[in-house]
Amino acid sequence: MPDLEVRNPSRRSEVVGTVREASAADVDAAARAAAAAQRGWAAEPAAARADALVRAAARIEASADELGVLLAREAGVPVAEATREAGGAAHLLRAAAELAATLDHADEHDTAGGGRIRVGRRPLGVVAGIVPWNAPLGLAAQKVGPALVAGNAVIVKPSPLAPLAVTRLLGLLAGELPEDLLSVVNGAGETGSALIAHPVVRKVSFTGGGETARHIMRAAADRLTRVHFELGGNDPAVVLDDADLDLAAERIAQTAFRRAGQICYAVKRVYVPERAATDFTDRLRARVDALAIGDAVDPRTTMGPVNNARQFESVSALAERTRRAGRSVLELGAPVDETPWEDGWYLRPALVPDADHGDELVTVEQFGPLLPVVSYRSEDDAIAMANDSEYGLGSSVWSADPDHAFAVASRIEAGVTFVNGHVLSPDAFRLVPFGGVKQSGIGWENSPAGLDEYLEFHSIDVHPVPPAR
Ligand code: NAD
């Protein structure tokens, strides 16, 4: 099979590296080898599996700088953030290792007449992980960690748009594991399809777009392969009338334009009380205007390019349609000196301060640096608009009054609602079942609920036997 070329979105003329595209025969070989390796792995004590993840976490941490630069160059993620993602992947593996303690426990019950019931959990076998390009290290680690600690073998298919750093990271992890237990098959949709169709693959854990998820679900139906989906979002930020506007503007600007808006759970629409709208928008505008757009490896850059041509074209076209619909599209920020603007997929961060809830930009997942602000009259209206979406991944409520914030947060339809922030706190990676409701996903990652995704029950029901006559 040919090598796949990976180009730098900050400098399209530069080839960052190549990966070998897996053939159907490669996928078959990886799946069969994984199935053979899995049996011995599942027989190890859970604590030994956890130890391997902890050792791998240390190796990954030691390579975080190198992984960060590689991710920055292939994906356009600013290098400081890309390096944090590599460290975050190590943190996720440790969090998965901590869950091992629950695995050796089986519920045992004595039943009427001298019987016994034992309910235990077992790994599934071979699991496929399919990941996107926007945060490949963290997204792969949060699948692979719990799947391995549960006793499964894993085959990961990265996106052809950012396969290099994740292949390297998983190589470091595989170095601490039995041979063939964890492997990577590179390629596009066809490689993913071959993996899903393989008879030994028992579950597909997929992070990506809804359209792809529909294809995967159809393909998985043939063999009744289990699916686990982490999909897109259109996260609302509901700024309440008692919010600290300065804090809200600062933090909303940070999350909405992080990775040039290409994060599944990030603020994608803002609702603000009518009487505070101008004040809030002025503050938000100042923050967004301070963004420095440039090459992802340039330390001065606070917003890199978007990842690829499809992203560039779809976000540019959405901005153009928003403009033609009569809205103000305020292009802000400024390029860092020497940014090779024409050679990269650069976009200016933009605010649409006069958006309406019915606008296309408010309804779709823009997945780019383009943020609508919608004003509202009553809190009930704001909550209704926040919930009026086919998505339900993240969300946030902004208020200086914790009780008020909590009451509103409880009414939001989403997998997670943040208060006065819009990012998972470090402990949340251990504690919060991460996932979406409605079209944003099926299943959960991280936390004990994330471990359960990679286990199935096995029960033993011992019937009482009458005494010998
Ligand atoms: P995508 O759906 O195009 O691709 C994701 C992965 O699926 C890639 O590895 C791709 O090669 C593979 N793929 C494509 N077609 C396939 C097929 N027919 N069979 C099997 N695999 C196939 O998504 P993307 O453009 O890489 O990522 C952007 C989307 O991902 C956005 O919608 C974003 O919101 C979503 N996302 C969700 C989360 C989450 O945790 N909920 C996290 C990050 C991204």
PDB file of all heavy atoms in Angstrom, residues 130-134 139 157-160 187-189 192-193 196 206-209 212 215-216 230-233 264 268 310 365 367 393 434 440, ligand 1:
ATOM      1  N   ILE A 130     -11.400   4.374  16.860  1.00  0.00           N
ATOM      2  CA  ILE A 130     -11.242   5.226  15.660  1.00  0.00           C
ATOM      3  C   ILE A 130     -11.273   6.673  16.136  1.00  0.00           C
ATOM      4  O   ILE A 130     -12.235   7.091  16.797  1.00  0.00           O
ATOM      5  CB  ILE A 130     -12.358   4.935  14.633  1.00  0.00           C
ATOM      6  CG1 ILE A 130     -12.275   3.459  14.203  1.00  0.00           C
ATOM      7  CG2 ILE A 130     -12.233   5.869  13.427  1.00  0.00           C
ATOM      8  CD1 ILE A 130     -13.292   3.056  13.151  1.00  0.00           C
ATOM      9  N   VAL A 131     -10.212   7.414  15.844  1.00  0.00           N
ATOM     10  CA  VAL A 131     -10.093   8.764  16.415  1.00  0.00           C
ATOM     11  C   VAL A 131      -9.939   9.836  15.334  1.00  0.00           C
ATOM     12  O   VAL A 131      -9.463   9.558  14.236  1.00  0.00           O
ATOM     13  CB  VAL A 131      -8.928   8.856  17.434  1.00  0.00           C
ATOM     14  CG1 VAL A 131      -9.216   8.006  18.655  1.00  0.00           C
ATOM     15  CG2 VAL A 131      -7.601   8.469  16.832  1.00  0.00           C
ATOM     16  N   PRO A 132     -10.346  11.062  15.630  1.00  0.00           N
ATOM     17  CA  PRO A 132     -10.250  12.162  14.667  1.00  0.00           C
ATOM     18  C   PRO A 132      -8.908  12.889  14.791  1.00  0.00           C
ATOM     19  O   PRO A 132      -8.024  12.464  15.541  1.00  0.00           O
ATOM     20  CB  PRO A 132     -11.409  13.066  15.079  1.00  0.00           C
ATOM     21  CG  PRO A 132     -11.517  12.904  16.558  1.00  0.00           C
ATOM     22  CD  PRO A 132     -11.035  11.510  16.871  1.00  0.00           C
ATOM     23  N   TRP A 133      -8.772  13.997  14.075  1.00  0.00           N
ATOM     24  CA  TRP A 133      -7.498  14.707  13.998  1.00  0.00           C
ATOM     25  C   TRP A 133      -7.378  15.828  15.017  1.00  0.00           C
ATOM     26  O   TRP A 133      -6.304  16.377  15.198  1.00  0.00           O
ATOM     27  CB  TRP A 133      -7.310  15.309  12.585  1.00  0.00           C
ATOM     28  CG  TRP A 133      -8.557  15.997  12.085  1.00  0.00           C
ATOM     29  CD1 TRP A 133      -9.479  15.450  11.244  1.00  0.00           C
ATOM     30  CD2 TRP A 133      -9.029  17.301  12.409  1.00  0.00           C
ATOM     31  NE1 TRP A 133     -10.514  16.331  11.033  1.00  0.00           N
ATOM     32  CE2 TRP A 133     -10.257  17.490  11.741  1.00  0.00           C
ATOM     33  CE3 TRP A 133      -8.544  18.341  13.207  1.00  0.00           C
ATOM     34  CZ2 TRP A 133     -11.004  18.657  11.842  1.00  0.00           C
ATOM     35  CZ3 TRP A 133      -9.288  19.510  13.311  1.00  0.00           C
ATOM     36  CH2 TRP A 133     -10.492  19.654  12.632  1.00  0.00           C
ATOM     37  N   ASN A 134      -8.464  16.227  15.663  1.00  0.00           N
ATOM     38  CA  ASN A 134      -8.394  17.492  16.408  1.00  0.00           C
ATOM     39  C   ASN A 134      -7.721  17.384  17.769  1.00  0.00           C
ATOM     40  O   ASN A 134      -7.191  18.375  18.262  1.00  0.00           O
ATOM     41  CB  ASN A 134      -9.794  18.112  16.526  1.00  0.00           C
ATOM     42  CG  ASN A 134     -10.718  17.272  17.348  1.00  0.00           C
ATOM     43  OD1 ASN A 134     -10.604  16.056  17.381  1.00  0.00           O
ATOM     44  ND2 ASN A 134     -11.633  17.909  18.043  1.00  0.00           N
ATOM     45  N   LEU A 139      -7.706  11.851  22.859  1.00  0.00           N
ATOM     46  CA  LEU A 139      -8.889  11.050  22.504  1.00  0.00           C
ATOM     47  C   LEU A 139      -8.523   9.574  22.377  1.00  0.00           C
ATOM     48  O   LEU A 139      -9.327   8.701  22.730  1.00  0.00           O
ATOM     49  CB  LEU A 139      -9.529  11.582  21.214  1.00  0.00           C
ATOM     50  CG  LEU A 139     -10.097  13.011  21.358  1.00  0.00           C
ATOM     51  CD1 LEU A 139     -10.537  13.558  20.012  1.00  0.00           C
ATOM     52  CD2 LEU A 139     -11.256  13.051  22.341  1.00  0.00           C
ATOM     53  N   LYS A 157      -7.274   3.242  14.861  1.00  0.00           N
ATOM     54  CA  LYS A 157      -7.116   3.851  13.542  1.00  0.00           C
ATOM     55  C   LYS A 157      -7.172   5.369  13.694  1.00  0.00           C
ATOM     56  O   LYS A 157      -8.225   5.944  13.954  1.00  0.00           O
ATOM     57  CB  LYS A 157      -8.225   3.412  12.576  1.00  0.00           C
ATOM     58  CG  LYS A 157      -7.822   3.750  11.139  1.00  0.00           C
ATOM     59  CD  LYS A 157      -8.969   3.937  10.196  1.00  0.00           C
ATOM     60  CE  LYS A 157      -9.615   5.280  10.276  1.00  0.00           C
ATOM     61  NZ  LYS A 157      -8.742   6.404   9.878  1.00  0.00           N
ATOM     62  N   PRO A 158      -6.029   6.030  13.528  1.00  0.00           N
ATOM     63  CA  PRO A 158      -6.015   7.492  13.610  1.00  0.00           C
ATOM     64  C   PRO A 158      -6.594   8.116  12.337  1.00  0.00           C
ATOM     65  O   PRO A 158      -6.825   7.427  11.337  1.00  0.00           O
ATOM     66  CB  PRO A 158      -4.523   7.833  13.722  1.00  0.00           C
ATOM     67  CG  PRO A 158      -3.818   6.536  13.990  1.00  0.00           C
ATOM     68  CD  PRO A 158      -4.679   5.468  13.394  1.00  0.00           C
ATOM     69  N   SER A 159      -6.784   9.411  12.379  1.00  0.00           N
ATOM     70  CA  SER A 159      -7.198  10.130  11.172  1.00  0.00           C
ATOM     71  C   SER A 159      -5.984  10.314  10.264  1.00  0.00           C
ATOM     72  O   SER A 159      -4.892  10.619  10.750  1.00  0.00           O
ATOM     73  CB  SER A 159      -7.751  11.508  11.558  1.00  0.00           C
ATOM     74  OG  SER A 159      -7.819  12.330  10.415  1.00  0.00           O
ATOM     75  N   PRO A 160      -6.148  10.182   8.952  1.00  0.00           N
ATOM     76  CA  PRO A 160      -5.005  10.431   8.057  1.00  0.00           C
ATOM     77  C   PRO A 160      -4.563  11.894   8.105  1.00  0.00           C
ATOM     78  O   PRO A 160      -3.491  12.237   7.612  1.00  0.00           O
ATOM     79  CB  PRO A 160      -5.546  10.058   6.666  1.00  0.00           C
ATOM     80  CG  PRO A 160      -7.029  10.016   6.798  1.00  0.00           C
ATOM     81  CD  PRO A 160      -7.363   9.773   8.241  1.00  0.00           C
ATOM     82  N   GLY A 187      -4.757   4.872   7.882  1.00  0.00           N
ATOM     83  CA  GLY A 187      -5.510   4.903   6.637  1.00  0.00           C
ATOM     84  C   GLY A 187      -6.751   5.746   6.813  1.00  0.00           C
ATOM     85  O   GLY A 187      -6.986   6.335   7.875  1.00  0.00           O
ATOM     86  N   ALA A 188      -7.560   5.786   5.777  1.00  0.00           N
ATOM     87  CA  ALA A 188      -8.776   6.604   5.814  1.00  0.00           C
ATOM     88  C   ALA A 188      -9.988   5.717   6.121  1.00  0.00           C
ATOM     89  O   ALA A 188      -9.878   4.698   6.795  1.00  0.00           O
ATOM     90  CB  ALA A 188      -8.915   7.341   4.487  1.00  0.00           C
ATOM     91  N   GLY A 189     -11.148   6.125   5.607  1.00  0.00           N
ATOM     92  CA  GLY A 189     -12.399   5.435   5.920  1.00  0.00           C
ATOM     93  C   GLY A 189     -12.376   3.950   5.582  1.00  0.00           C
ATOM     94  O   GLY A 189     -12.917   3.129   6.324  1.00  0.00           O
ATOM     95  N   GLY A 192     -10.845   1.994   8.255  1.00  0.00           N
ATOM     96  CA  GLY A 192     -11.791   1.924   9.379  1.00  0.00           C
ATOM     97  C   GLY A 192     -12.876   0.890   9.103  1.00  0.00           C
ATOM     98  O   GLY A 192     -13.232   0.090   9.980  1.00  0.00           O
ATOM     99  N   SER A 193     -13.376   0.862   7.860  1.00  0.00           N
ATOM    100  CA  SER A 193     -14.440  -0.090   7.516  1.00  0.00           C
ATOM    101  C   SER A 193     -13.945  -1.523   7.646  1.00  0.00           C
ATOM    102  O   SER A 193     -14.672  -2.396   8.139  1.00  0.00           O
ATOM    103  CB  SER A 193     -14.924   0.123   6.071  1.00  0.00           C
ATOM    104  OG  SER A 193     -15.421   1.415   5.939  1.00  0.00           O
ATOM    105  N   ILE A 196     -13.967  -2.451  11.293  1.00  0.00           N
ATOM    106  CA  ILE A 196     -15.314  -2.661  11.856  1.00  0.00           C
ATOM    107  C   ILE A 196     -15.888  -4.000  11.402  1.00  0.00           C
ATOM    108  O   ILE A 196     -16.580  -4.689  12.139  1.00  0.00           O
ATOM    109  CB  ILE A 196     -16.259  -1.520  11.416  1.00  0.00           C
ATOM    110  CG1 ILE A 196     -15.746  -0.198  11.944  1.00  0.00           C
ATOM    111  CG2 ILE A 196     -17.688  -1.752  11.891  1.00  0.00           C
ATOM    112  CD1 ILE A 196     -16.258   0.979  11.150  1.00  0.00           C
ATOM    113  N   PHE A 206     -15.712   5.073  18.714  1.00  0.00           N
ATOM    114  CA  PHE A 206     -15.447   6.057  17.660  1.00  0.00           C
ATOM    115  C   PHE A 206     -15.622   7.469  18.186  1.00  0.00           C
ATOM    116  O   PHE A 206     -16.613   7.772  18.849  1.00  0.00           O
ATOM    117  CB  PHE A 206     -16.432   5.809  16.510  1.00  0.00           C
ATOM    118  CG  PHE A 206     -16.500   6.924  15.505  1.00  0.00           C
ATOM    119  CD1 PHE A 206     -15.496   7.087  14.560  1.00  0.00           C
ATOM    120  CD2 PHE A 206     -17.560   7.831  15.502  1.00  0.00           C
ATOM    121  CE1 PHE A 206     -15.545   8.121  13.629  1.00  0.00           C
ATOM    122  CE2 PHE A 206     -17.617   8.863  14.581  1.00  0.00           C
ATOM    123  CZ  PHE A 206     -16.608   9.010  13.639  1.00  0.00           C
ATOM    124  N   THR A 207     -14.678   8.330  17.860  1.00  0.00           N
ATOM    125  CA  THR A 207     -14.856   9.766  18.101  1.00  0.00           C
ATOM    126  C   THR A 207     -14.732  10.464  16.762  1.00  0.00           C
ATOM    127  O   THR A 207     -13.745  10.266  16.038  1.00  0.00           O
ATOM    128  CB  THR A 207     -13.797  10.299  19.080  1.00  0.00           C
ATOM    129  OG1 THR A 207     -13.963   9.613  20.320  1.00  0.00           O
ATOM    130  CG2 THR A 207     -13.977  11.792  19.324  1.00  0.00           C
ATOM    131  N   GLY A 208     -15.722  11.259  16.429  1.00  0.00           N
ATOM    132  CA  GLY A 208     -15.694  11.962  15.151  1.00  0.00           C
ATOM    133  C   GLY A 208     -17.056  12.549  14.841  1.00  0.00           C
ATOM    134  O   GLY A 208     -17.848  12.827  15.744  1.00  0.00           O
ATOM    135  N   GLY A 209     -17.332  12.711  13.562  1.00  0.00           N
ATOM    136  CA  GLY A 209     -18.552  13.382  13.133  1.00  0.00           C
ATOM    137  C   GLY A 209     -19.759  12.443  13.043  1.00  0.00           C
ATOM    138  O   GLY A 209     -19.609  11.219  12.908  1.00  0.00           O
ATOM    139  N   THR A 212     -20.124  10.145   9.822  1.00  0.00           N
ATOM    140  CA  THR A 212     -19.266   8.955   9.874  1.00  0.00           C
ATOM    141  C   THR A 212     -19.864   7.943  10.849  1.00  0.00           C
ATOM    142  O   THR A 212     -19.855   6.731  10.580  1.00  0.00           O
ATOM    143  CB  THR A 212     -17.837   9.344  10.314  1.00  0.00           C
ATOM    144  OG1 THR A 212     -17.433  10.478   9.566  1.00  0.00           O
ATOM    145  CG2 THR A 212     -16.857   8.219  10.100  1.00  0.00           C
ATOM    146  N   HIS A 215     -22.428   5.825   9.189  1.00  0.00           N
ATOM    147  CA  HIS A 215     -21.810   4.766   8.362  1.00  0.00           C
ATOM    148  C   HIS A 215     -21.348   3.614   9.239  1.00  0.00           C
ATOM    149  O   HIS A 215     -21.540   2.448   8.923  1.00  0.00           O
ATOM    150  CB  HIS A 215     -20.562   5.304   7.635  1.00  0.00           C
ATOM    151  CG  HIS A 215     -20.869   6.125   6.437  1.00  0.00           C
ATOM    152  ND1 HIS A 215     -21.444   5.583   5.311  1.00  0.00           N
ATOM    153  CD2 HIS A 215     -20.665   7.430   6.176  1.00  0.00           C
ATOM    154  CE1 HIS A 215     -21.596   6.545   4.411  1.00  0.00           C
ATOM    155  NE2 HIS A 215     -21.144   7.672   4.914  1.00  0.00           N
ATOM    156  N   ILE A 216     -20.710   3.983  10.347  1.00  0.00           N
ATOM    157  CA  ILE A 216     -20.139   2.951  11.227  1.00  0.00           C
ATOM    158  C   ILE A 216     -21.256   2.103  11.826  1.00  0.00           C
ATOM    159  O   ILE A 216     -21.158   0.879  11.891  1.00  0.00           O
ATOM    160  CB  ILE A 216     -19.261   3.602  12.321  1.00  0.00           C
ATOM    161  CG1 ILE A 216     -17.994   4.174  11.661  1.00  0.00           C
ATOM    162  CG2 ILE A 216     -18.918   2.618  13.435  1.00  0.00           C
ATOM    163  CD1 ILE A 216     -17.059   4.915  12.591  1.00  0.00           C
ATOM    164  N   GLU A 230     -18.568   9.114  20.413  1.00  0.00           N
ATOM    165  CA  GLU A 230     -18.381  10.473  20.943  1.00  0.00           C
ATOM    166  C   GLU A 230     -18.418  11.396  19.741  1.00  0.00           C
ATOM    167  O   GLU A 230     -17.482  11.395  18.933  1.00  0.00           O
ATOM    168  CB  GLU A 230     -17.017  10.598  21.636  1.00  0.00           C
ATOM    169  CG  GLU A 230     -16.850   9.724  22.844  1.00  0.00           C
ATOM    170  CD  GLU A 230     -17.765  10.103  23.979  1.00  0.00           C
ATOM    171  OE1 GLU A 230     -18.263  11.249  24.002  1.00  0.00           O
ATOM    172  OE2 GLU A 230     -18.002   9.250  24.842  1.00  0.00           O
ATOM    173  N   LEU A 231     -19.476  12.181  19.620  1.00  0.00           N
ATOM    174  CA  LEU A 231     -19.692  12.902  18.358  1.00  0.00           C
ATOM    175  C   LEU A 231     -19.629  14.418  18.549  1.00  0.00           C
ATOM    176  O   LEU A 231     -19.097  14.909  19.520  1.00  0.00           O
ATOM    177  CB  LEU A 231     -21.024  12.441  17.749  1.00  0.00           C
ATOM    178  CG  LEU A 231     -21.153  10.914  17.642  1.00  0.00           C
ATOM    179  CD1 LEU A 231     -22.487  10.510  17.063  1.00  0.00           C
ATOM    180  CD2 LEU A 231     -20.010  10.315  16.822  1.00  0.00           C
ATOM    181  N   GLY A 232     -20.190  15.116  17.620  1.00  0.00           N
ATOM    182  CA  GLY A 232     -20.082  16.570  17.626  1.00  0.00           C
ATOM    183  C   GLY A 232     -20.969  17.218  18.684  1.00  0.00           C
ATOM    184  O   GLY A 232     -21.794  16.576  19.325  1.00  0.00           O
ATOM    185  N   GLY A 233     -20.765  18.496  18.852  1.00  0.00           N
ATOM    186  CA  GLY A 233     -21.578  19.245  19.801  1.00  0.00           C
ATOM    187  C   GLY A 233     -21.851  20.646  19.284  1.00  0.00           C
ATOM    188  O   GLY A 233     -21.233  21.097  18.311  1.00  0.00           O
ATOM    189  N   CYS A 264     -14.580  19.373  20.183  1.00  0.00           N
ATOM    190  CA  CYS A 264     -15.964  18.867  20.195  1.00  0.00           C
ATOM    191  C   CYS A 264     -16.784  19.579  21.256  1.00  0.00           C
ATOM    192  O   CYS A 264     -17.902  19.994  21.010  1.00  0.00           O
ATOM    193  CB  CYS A 264     -15.963  17.371  20.423  1.00  0.00           C
ATOM    194  SG  CYS A 264     -15.071  16.894  21.913  1.00  0.00           S
ATOM    195  N   LYS A 268     -19.933  27.080  21.426  1.00  0.00           N
ATOM    196  CA  LYS A 268     -20.191  27.284  19.994  1.00  0.00           C
ATOM    197  C   LYS A 268     -21.309  28.291  19.759  1.00  0.00           C
ATOM    198  O   LYS A 268     -21.575  28.684  18.625  1.00  0.00           O
ATOM    199  CB  LYS A 268     -20.489  25.945  19.328  1.00  0.00           C
ATOM    200  CG  LYS A 268     -19.267  25.020  19.489  1.00  0.00           C
ATOM    201  CD  LYS A 268     -19.181  23.888  18.538  1.00  0.00           C
ATOM    202  CE  LYS A 268     -17.843  23.178  18.734  1.00  0.00           C
ATOM    203  NZ  LYS A 268     -17.940  21.758  18.872  1.00  0.00           N
ATOM    204  N   ARG A 310     -10.915  21.039   3.917  1.00  0.00           N
ATOM    205  CA  ARG A 310     -12.361  20.911   4.108  1.00  0.00           C
ATOM    206  C   ARG A 310     -12.830  21.837   5.230  1.00  0.00           C
ATOM    207  O   ARG A 310     -13.847  22.507   5.129  1.00  0.00           O
ATOM    208  CB  ARG A 310     -12.701  19.450   4.426  1.00  0.00           C
ATOM    209  CG  ARG A 310     -14.125  19.095   4.086  1.00  0.00           C
ATOM    210  CD  ARG A 310     -14.417  17.662   4.423  1.00  0.00           C
ATOM    211  NE  ARG A 310     -14.546  17.514   5.863  1.00  0.00           N
ATOM    212  CZ  ARG A 310     -14.835  16.375   6.475  1.00  0.00           C
ATOM    213  NH1 ARG A 310     -15.001  15.285   5.785  1.00  0.00           N
ATOM    214  NH2 ARG A 310     -14.946  16.326   7.778  1.00  0.00           N
ATOM    215  N   GLU A 365     -23.017  22.775  13.923  1.00  0.00           N
ATOM    216  CA  GLU A 365     -21.715  22.780  14.619  1.00  0.00           C
ATOM    217  C   GLU A 365     -20.712  23.416  13.663  1.00  0.00           C
ATOM    218  O   GLU A 365     -20.331  22.810  12.667  1.00  0.00           O
ATOM    219  CB  GLU A 365     -21.276  21.347  14.955  1.00  0.00           C
ATOM    220  CG  GLU A 365     -19.957  21.334  15.697  1.00  0.00           C
ATOM    221  CD  GLU A 365     -19.307  19.949  15.817  1.00  0.00           C
ATOM    222  OE1 GLU A 365     -19.397  19.137  14.879  1.00  0.00           O
ATOM    223  OE2 GLU A 365     -18.674  19.713  16.853  1.00  0.00           O
ATOM    224  N   PHE A 367     -17.507  24.229  14.142  1.00  0.00           N
ATOM    225  CA  PHE A 367     -16.181  23.611  14.255  1.00  0.00           C
ATOM    226  C   PHE A 367     -15.095  24.486  13.643  1.00  0.00           C
ATOM    227  O   PHE A 367     -14.258  24.046  12.846  1.00  0.00           O
ATOM    228  CB  PHE A 367     -16.184  22.224  13.605  1.00  0.00           C
ATOM    229  CG  PHE A 367     -15.359  21.218  14.381  1.00  0.00           C
ATOM    230  CD1 PHE A 367     -15.640  20.942  15.706  1.00  0.00           C
ATOM    231  CD2 PHE A 367     -14.300  20.542  13.795  1.00  0.00           C
ATOM    232  CE1 PHE A 367     -14.890  20.026  16.436  1.00  0.00           C
ATOM    233  CE2 PHE A 367     -13.536  19.616  14.510  1.00  0.00           C
ATOM    234  CZ  PHE A 367     -13.840  19.357  15.831  1.00  0.00           C
ATOM    235  N   LEU A 393     -23.712  17.864  23.994  1.00  0.00           N
ATOM    236  CA  LEU A 393     -22.411  17.397  24.495  1.00  0.00           C
ATOM    237  C   LEU A 393     -22.047  18.194  25.752  1.00  0.00           C
ATOM    238  O   LEU A 393     -22.404  17.837  26.850  1.00  0.00           O
ATOM    239  CB  LEU A 393     -21.369  17.527  23.381  1.00  0.00           C
ATOM    240  CG  LEU A 393     -19.996  16.888  23.629  1.00  0.00           C
ATOM    241  CD1 LEU A 393     -20.108  15.409  23.909  1.00  0.00           C
ATOM    242  CD2 LEU A 393     -19.073  17.135  22.441  1.00  0.00           C
ATOM    243  N   PHE A 434     -17.781  11.259  30.531  1.00  0.00           N
ATOM    244  CA  PHE A 434     -17.789  12.237  29.441  1.00  0.00           C
ATOM    245  C   PHE A 434     -18.486  11.637  28.226  1.00  0.00           C
ATOM    246  O   PHE A 434     -18.143  10.555  27.770  1.00  0.00           O
ATOM    247  CB  PHE A 434     -16.362  12.651  29.081  1.00  0.00           C
ATOM    248  CG  PHE A 434     -16.344  13.669  27.979  1.00  0.00           C
ATOM    249  CD1 PHE A 434     -16.684  14.983  28.242  1.00  0.00           C
ATOM    250  CD2 PHE A 434     -16.058  13.304  26.675  1.00  0.00           C
ATOM    251  CE1 PHE A 434     -16.725  15.925  27.227  1.00  0.00           C
ATOM    252  CE2 PHE A 434     -16.092  14.237  25.651  1.00  0.00           C
ATOM    253  CZ  PHE A 434     -16.422  15.547  25.931  1.00  0.00           C
ATOM    254  N   SER A 440     -25.207  13.735  20.096  1.00  0.00           N
ATOM    255  CA  SER A 440     -23.797  13.929  20.451  1.00  0.00           C
ATOM    256  C   SER A 440     -23.100  12.653  20.896  1.00  0.00           C
ATOM    257  O   SER A 440     -21.888  12.687  21.148  1.00  0.00           O
ATOM    258  CB  SER A 440     -23.653  15.000  21.545  1.00  0.00           C
ATOM    259  OG  SER A 440     -23.893  16.274  20.988  1.00  0.00           O
TER     260      SER A 440
HETATM  261  P1  NAD B   1     -14.611  12.222  10.908  1.00  0.00           P
HETATM  262  O1  NAD B   1     -15.881  11.623  11.354  1.00  0.00           O
HETATM  263  O2  NAD B   1     -14.473  12.707   9.523  1.00  0.00           O
HETATM  264  O3  NAD B   1     -13.386  11.204  11.108  1.00  0.00           O
HETATM  265  C1  NAD B   1     -13.119  10.576  12.338  1.00  0.00           C
HETATM  266  C2  NAD B   1     -12.389   9.270  12.093  1.00  0.00           C
HETATM  267  O4  NAD B   1     -13.239   8.359  11.396  1.00  0.00           O
HETATM  268  C3  NAD B   1     -11.122   9.391  11.240  1.00  0.00           C
HETATM  269  O5  NAD B   1     -10.139   8.509  11.753  1.00  0.00           O
HETATM  270  C4  NAD B   1     -11.610   8.926   9.876  1.00  0.00           C
HETATM  271  O6  NAD B   1     -10.573   8.449   9.034  1.00  0.00           O
HETATM  272  C5  NAD B   1     -12.559   7.807  10.287  1.00  0.00           C
HETATM  273  N1  NAD B   1     -13.541   7.424   9.256  1.00  0.00           N
HETATM  274  C6  NAD B   1     -14.059   8.189   8.254  1.00  0.00           C
HETATM  275  N2  NAD B   1     -14.953   7.473   7.544  1.00  0.00           N
HETATM  276  C7  NAD B   1     -15.010   6.238   8.105  1.00  0.00           C
HETATM  277  C8  NAD B   1     -15.754   5.050   7.825  1.00  0.00           C
HETATM  278  N3  NAD B   1     -16.638   5.000   6.818  1.00  0.00           N
HETATM  279  N4  NAD B   1     -15.566   3.970   8.604  1.00  0.00           N
HETATM  280  C9  NAD B   1     -14.712   4.016   9.644  1.00  0.00           C
HETATM  281  N5  NAD B   1     -13.958   5.100   9.961  1.00  0.00           N
HETATM  282  C10 NAD B   1     -14.113   6.207   9.201  1.00  0.00           C
HETATM  283  O7  NAD B   1     -14.327  13.393  11.957  1.00  0.00           O
HETATM  284  P2  NAD B   1     -13.184  14.475  11.926  1.00  0.00           P
HETATM  285  O8  NAD B   1     -13.434  15.448  10.829  1.00  0.00           O
HETATM  286  O9  NAD B   1     -11.863  13.762  11.968  1.00  0.00           O
HETATM  287  O10 NAD B   1     -13.457  15.171  13.339  1.00  0.00           O
HETATM  288  C11 NAD B   1     -14.368  16.201  13.520  1.00  0.00           C
HETATM  289  C12 NAD B   1     -15.643  15.740  14.195  1.00  0.00           C
HETATM  290  O11 NAD B   1     -15.339  14.978  15.350  1.00  0.00           O
HETATM  291  C13 NAD B   1     -16.481  16.907  14.696  1.00  0.00           C
HETATM  292  O12 NAD B   1     -17.847  16.687  14.435  1.00  0.00           O
HETATM  293  C14 NAD B   1     -16.230  16.890  16.193  1.00  0.00           C
HETATM  294  O13 NAD B   1     -17.209  17.518  16.955  1.00  0.00           O
HETATM  295  C15 NAD B   1     -16.129  15.436  16.457  1.00  0.00           C
HETATM  296  N6  NAD B   1     -15.408  15.200  17.720  1.00  0.00           N
HETATM  297  C16 NAD B   1     -16.102  14.712  18.801  1.00  0.00           C
HETATM  298  C17 NAD B   1     -15.452  14.530  20.021  1.00  0.00           C
HETATM  299  C18 NAD B   1     -16.163  13.995  21.252  1.00  0.00           C
HETATM  300  O14 NAD B   1     -15.495  13.557  22.178  1.00  0.00           O
HETATM  301  N7  NAD B   1     -17.468  14.018  21.319  1.00  0.00           N
HETATM  302  C19 NAD B   1     -14.090  14.844  20.121  1.00  0.00           C
HETATM  303  C20 NAD B   1     -13.431  15.351  19.005  1.00  0.00           C
HETATM  304  C21 NAD B   1     -14.103  15.505  17.797  1.00  0.00           C
END
